[in-house]
Amino acid sequence: MREKVEQVLDKVRPMLEADGGNVELVNITDSGVVQVRLVGACKGCPMSQMTLKNGIERIVLKEIPEVKAVEAVQE
């Protein structure tokens, strides 16, 4: 499943990189929660929660039904 998640994240990376940010896959829990770390400009952006939920999570859930949620983890 990790490879599938990375492939989906590769689809959203150009949008994030255009604004000076990126996303890293940290972990996938046994319960189907994808944990990511927002980096670069995304790390401290006030809109990062919206980017995570309305962008990254929406696309991951659509493409990989077995994923239950996407959440950001801090360093």
Side-chain angles (χ1 to χ4, degrees), residues 37-48:
R37 180 178 298 117
L38 296 171
V39 295
C42 292
K43 185 177 177 184
C45 177
M47 300 297 286
S48 64

Side-chain angles (χ1 to χ4, degrees), residues 16-74:
L16 301 174
E17 290 169 347
D19 291 327
N22 207 336
V23 62
E24 297 173 351
L25 177 59
V26 176
N27 187 36
I28 302 170
T29 69
D30 292 337
S31 58
V33 176
V34 173
Q35 297 174 328
V36 297
R37 180 178 298 117
L38 296 171
V39 295
C42 292
K43 185 177 177 184
C45 177
M47 300 297 286
S48 64
Q49 238 354 74
M50 198 159 90
T51 298
L52 180 70
K53 292 295 174 188
N54 294 340
I56 299 169
E57 183 178 62
R58 183 178 55 81
I59 294 168
V60 171
L61 293 177
K62 179 182 173 197
E63 300 220 4
I64 310 171
E66 54 265 37
V67 170
K68 303 301 176 217
V70 177
E71 63 183 30
V73 295
Q74 304 303 317

